[in-house]
C-alpha cells in the first residue's frame, strides 16, 4: 500500500471500533516487563510502534505472547522479569519509528545491569534524545549519544540516585523516563517544571502497586519499590478517534458514535478545542479508574476558528495536524501558538501541514511555534506527501473527504504505526 486514493465523501456514518491507546499499550508492556508476575493486557494496539516496544523487550529476554480472547478481543501476556532480569541483547534494540519506545527504555535501561544500544528508523535518529539523557546522567547513568543528541545511543546500566529535576519541556516521554529511572534509583526523585503532559505512566505505576506523591506542581517517587503484575484493559485511543471526530464535523449529514474511548483529561484537548469551535459533540464519561473511559457522539457541525495557546498544547499535541485541516474549513481565523514541539515529531509537522495544505490550494502562515489559518478555504484533491508520518497521512485523508476531486496520499503505509485498519475503516464509514 504505497499510495492511497481518497474520494470526496457523500456521507459519513457508523460506529467504528477504535484501536487500543498507543501510549497506554507501550506502558502496559514495559511496566509488565518490570513487574513481578504475569501481566495480562486486553485490546493492546497492534500498530508498528507498540510492536517496536514488544520487539525490544523480547530482545531483552522478556516473554510476550499474543492470543485471541474468547470475546474476540486480543489478549497479550507479559512475564515480568524486573529490570535486573533483563538479558544482554545480541543486537541493536530497534525502536523503529517510536519515540516512546526509545525514550522510555532509556529510563529503564539506565538503572539496569546490562549494556544496550538503541536505534531506530531514519526519522527516529533525527529526533532529540539529549533531553532524556540529561536528567539520567545527573542520576548517575552512563549514556553515549551520537553527535551529543541522537540515536544510535548506548546505555551501560548503573546504580542511580534520586534527583530533583525541573522538566524543561512538557514531554510525557521525558517525564516517563525520569519516573522509571527514579523507580530504579536509590532515594527520592522529585520532578517539577512542565509536568502537565499525559499522565498514563503515573496512573499505571499506581495500578501496578507503586506509590507516587503528586501535587499540581510536583511529582515524586521513591526508588526500590516492587511492581506487581496486573490486568490492563486498554481503552480506545483518543488520538485515533480525533480523525473520525473531525470527519464527522466536516461531512454534511455525518453521524458517528464511538465507544470505550479514553477520556483522560490530559489527552482530550482536541475534544475541548472542537467544542470551542462549536462542534456538535456529546461526551459521556462511564468510568474513571485506572483510566477515564466513555463514549462520544459527533455530528456534522458549523465550525468557527479559535485561538489555541501554550497551556493547551500538551493535551492535543498529536491532534494539531488534524486541527489545522479543520481550521481551514471553519468560519474565521485559527491561531495555534506555543507548539514548537511539533517541529521534532515523526516529521516537522508544522512544515508537513503547510506543504500539504498549500498543495490543496489553501494558505497558511507558519511560525517557529505554530501557525495561523484563514477559515473557509476550498481544498482541491492533489498529491499529498505523508513525510512517512502516520498523523500527516491520516489528517490529509480526512481533508480529502471534503476536497474537490481525488486526493492521493503517498507513502500511506505509515498509518500502520498507530492505526493499521485506518483506510479499511474510512472506506466503511463513507459507504452509503
Ligand atoms: C507520547 C508522548 C508525546 C506524544 C507521543 C506519545 C507518550 O510525545 O506526542 O505520540 O506515549 O508518552 P512527547 O513526550 O515528545 O510530547
Amino acid at each position: 500500500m504505497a499510495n492511497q486514493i481518497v474520494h470526496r465523501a457523500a456521507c459519513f456514518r457508523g460506529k467504528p471500533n477504535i484501536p487500543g491507546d498507543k501510549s497506554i499499550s507501550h506502558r502496559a508492556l514495559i511496566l509488565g516487563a518490570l513487574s513481578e508476575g504475569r501481566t495480562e493486557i486486553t485490546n493492546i494496539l497492534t500498530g508498528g510502534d507498540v510492536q517496536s516496544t514488544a520487539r525490544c523487550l523480547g530482545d531483552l529476554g522478556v516473554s510476550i505472547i499474543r492470543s485471541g480472547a474468547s470475546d474476540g478481543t486480543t489478549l497479550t501476556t507479559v512475564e515480568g522479569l524486573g529490570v535486573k532480569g533483563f538479558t544482554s541483547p545480541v543486537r541493536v534494540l530497534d525502536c523503529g519509528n517510536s519515540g516512546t519506545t526509545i525514550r522510555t527504555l532509556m529510563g529503564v535501561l539506565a538503572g539496569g545491569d546490562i549494556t544496550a544500544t538503541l536505534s531506530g528508523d531514519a526519522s527516529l535518529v533525527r529526533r532529540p534524545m539529549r533531553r532524556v539523557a540529561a536528567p539520567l546522567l545527573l542520576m548517575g547513568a552512563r549514556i553515549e549519544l551520537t553527535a551529543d543528541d541522537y540515536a544510535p545511543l548506548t546505555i551501560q546500566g548503573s546504580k542511580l540516585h534520586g534527583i530533583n529535576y525541573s522538566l524543561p519541556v512538557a514531554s510525557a516521554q521525558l517525564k516517563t523516563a525520569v519516573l522509571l529511572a527514579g523507580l530504579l534509583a536509590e532515594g527520592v526523585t522529585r520532578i517539577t517544571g512542565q509536568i502537565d503532559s499525559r499522565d498514563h505512566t503515573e496512573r499505571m505505576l499506581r495500578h501496578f502497586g507503586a506509590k507516587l506523591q503528586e501535587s499540581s506542581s510536583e511529582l515524586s517517587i521513591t526508588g526500590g519499590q516492587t511492581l506487581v503484575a496486573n490486568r490492563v484493559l486498554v481503552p480506545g485511543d483518543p488520538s485515533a478517534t480525533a480523525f473520525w471526530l473531525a470527519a464527522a464535523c466536516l461531512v454534511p449529514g455525518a453521524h458517528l458514535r464511538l465507544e470505550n474511548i479514553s477520556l483522560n483529561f490530559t489527552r482530550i484537548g482536541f475534544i475541548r478545542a472542537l467544542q470551542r469551535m462549536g462542534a456538535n459533540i456529546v461526551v459521556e464519561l462511564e468510568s474513571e479508574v485506572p483510566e477515564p473511559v466513555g463514549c462520544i457522539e459527533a455530528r456534522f457541525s458549523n465550525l468557527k476558528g479559535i485561538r489555541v495557546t501554550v497551556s493547551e498544547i500538551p493535551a492535543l499535541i498529536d491532534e494539531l495536524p488534524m486541527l489545522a485541516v479543520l481550521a481551514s474549513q471553519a468560519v474565521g481565523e485559527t491561531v495555534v501558538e506555543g507548539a514548537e514541539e511539533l517541529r521534532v515529531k515523526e516529521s516537522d509537522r508544522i512544515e508537513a501541514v503547510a506543504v500539504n495544505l498549500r498543495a490543496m490550494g489553501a494558505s497558511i502562515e507558519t511560525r517557529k511555534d505554530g501557525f495561523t489559518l484563514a477559515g473557509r478555504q476550498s481544498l482541491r484533491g492533489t498529491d499529498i506527501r505523508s513525510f512517512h508520518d502516520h498523523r500527516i497521512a491520516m489528517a490529509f485523508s480526512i481533508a480529502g473527504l471534503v476536497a474537490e476531486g481525488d486526493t492521493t496520499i503517498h507513502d500511506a503505509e505509515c498509518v500502520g504505526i498507530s492505526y493499521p485498519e485506518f483506510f479499511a475503516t474510512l472506506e466503511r464509514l463513507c459507504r452509503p
Side-chain angles (χ1 to χ4, degrees):
M1 186 223 305
N3 295 349
Q4 189 76 37
I5 296 178
V6 178
H7 311 291
R8 187 178 174 89
C11 63
F12 191 82
R13 51 178 54 235
K15 207 171 124 183
N17 281 332
I18 300 296
D21 185 75
K22 179 158 82 68
S23 294
I24 296 175
S25 297
H26 285 296
R27 287 157 172 83
L29 287 175
I30 291 171
L31 294 202
L34 291 176
S35 297
E36 269 180 9
R38 173 181 295 173
T39 287
E40 291 184 344
I41 310 166
T42 303
N43 198 36
I44 197 168
L45 173 66
T46 57
D49 268 10
V50 175
Q51 284 179 28
S52 292
T53 290
R55 182 176 57 238
C56 290
L57 291 172
D59 286 352
L60 291 164
V62 181
S63 160
I64 299 172
I65 296 172
R66 268 195 68 181
S67 54
S70 51
D71 60 356
T73 57
T74 60
L75 185 69
T76 303
T77 56
V78 184
E79 304 294 341
L81 286 179
V83 71
K84 302 290 179 195
F86 288 175
T87 50
S88 293
V90 293
R91 55 179 180 180
V92 171
L93 296 177
D94 177 8
C95 303
N97 191 241
S98 176
T100 307
T101 306
I102 194 166
R103 293 186 174 131
T104 303
L105 286 180
M106 284 173 75
V108 170
L109 294 172
D113 280 342
I114 58 167
T115 298
T117 298
L118 295 92
S119 195
D121 69 7
S123 152
L124 195 65
V125 298
R126 285 198 295 266
R127 298 180 64 186
M129 298 298 149
R130 179 91 205 159
R131 54 173 62 182
V132 181
L136 299 178
L137 290 169
L138 292 174
M139 297 174 88
R142 284 178 287 178
I143 303 176
E144 270 173 43
L145 300 160
T146 297
D148 209 33
D149 201 5
Y150 303 103
L153 55 91
T154 298
I155 304 186
Q156 230 182 309
S158 350
K159 211 165 149 43
L160 304 181
H161 53 82
I163 54 167
N164 294 339
Y165 193 70
S166 172
L167 296 180
V169 262
S171 158
Q173 294 171 355
L174 167 59
K175 180 173 64 176
T176 298
V178 180
L179 271 174
L180 296 185
L183 179 74
L184 306 170
E186 216 165 73
V188 179
T189 296
R190 284 190 192 81
I191 307 176
T192 54
Q194 299 199 42
I195 61 173
D196 285 338
S197 53
R198 64 193 67 191
D199 65 356
H200 305 300
T201 305
E202 296 90 305
R203 286 175 180 272
M204 206 174 290
L205 277 168
R206 286 202 190 90
H207 189 60
F208 280 72
K211 289 200 168 58
L212 260 84
Q213 278 68 49
E214 201 170 349
S215 73
S216 58
S217 58
E218 184 177 309
L219 260 176
S220 66
I221 187 161
T222 302
Q225 302 183 59
T226 304
L227 299 182
V228 181
N230 205 342
R231 290 212 164 96
V232 179
L233 176 59
V234 183
D237 193 325
S239 298
T241 302
F243 301 107
W244 307 141
L245 295 179
C249 290
L250 291 178
V251 178
H255 180 203
L256 195 70
R257 183 174 166 84
L258 302 144
E259 291 176 354
N260 187 32
I261 308 301
S262 164
L263 296 178
N264 182 314
F265 187 84
T266 62
R267 291 292 300 284
I268 55 167
F270 182 70
I271 293 179
R272 291 190 286 275
L274 274 182
Q275 286 170 331
R276 272 196 348 261
M277 293 175 91
N280 206 335
I281 289 188
V282 180
V283 179
E284 214 179 299
L285 182 67
E286 284 163 345
S287 60
E288 284 266 25
V289 181
E291 286 278 347
V293 173
C295 57
I296 309 173
E297 226 163 306
R299 288 184 163 79
F300 173 69
S301 312
N302 291 309
L303 300 178
K304 58 179 192 287
I306 55 168
R307 176 177 283 271
V308 180
T309 56
V310 63
S311 63
E312 298 173 71
I313 299 296
L316 50 57
I317 184 77
D318 291 339
E319 289 66 71
L320 285 169
M322 192 64 263
L323 188 89
V325 170
L326 272 178
S328 74
Q329 303 305 298
V331 175
E333 187 179 80
T334 292
V335 179
V336 171
E337 57 193 34
E340 57 265 49
E341 277 294 296
L342 284 179
R343 299 268 183 202
V344 291
K345 292 293 179 187
E346 287 84 326
S347 68
D348 174 342
R349 287 184 175 159
I350 293 179
E351 185 60 20
V353 160
V355 163
N356 286 316
L357 274 177
R358 286 177 189 138
M360 295 186 96
S363 66
I364 173 170
E365 180 198 315
T366 63
R367 290 177 303 281
K368 192 167 153 272
D369 72 335
F371 48 83
T372 299
L373 262 163
R376 283 287 152 103
Q377 307 194 50
S378 47
L379 301 179
R380 60 165 184 268
T382 186
D383 290 303
I384 294 296
R385 293 173 62 191
S386 71
F387 294 88
H388 303 279
D389 181 335
H390 54 134
R391 303 217 188 270
I392 298 298
M394 291 189 275
F396 281 89
S397 298
I398 303 304
L401 300 181
V402 291
E404 212 48 69
D406 286 352
T407 299
T408 305
I409 312 288
H410 288 257
D411 302 311
E413 68 283 346
C414 59
V415 303
I417 286 296
S418 63
Y419 202 156
E421 311 82 16
F422 177 80
F423 286 112
T425 307
L426 179 64
E427 209 253 338
R428 245 191 344 270
L429 292 169
C430 291
R431 234 178 254 161

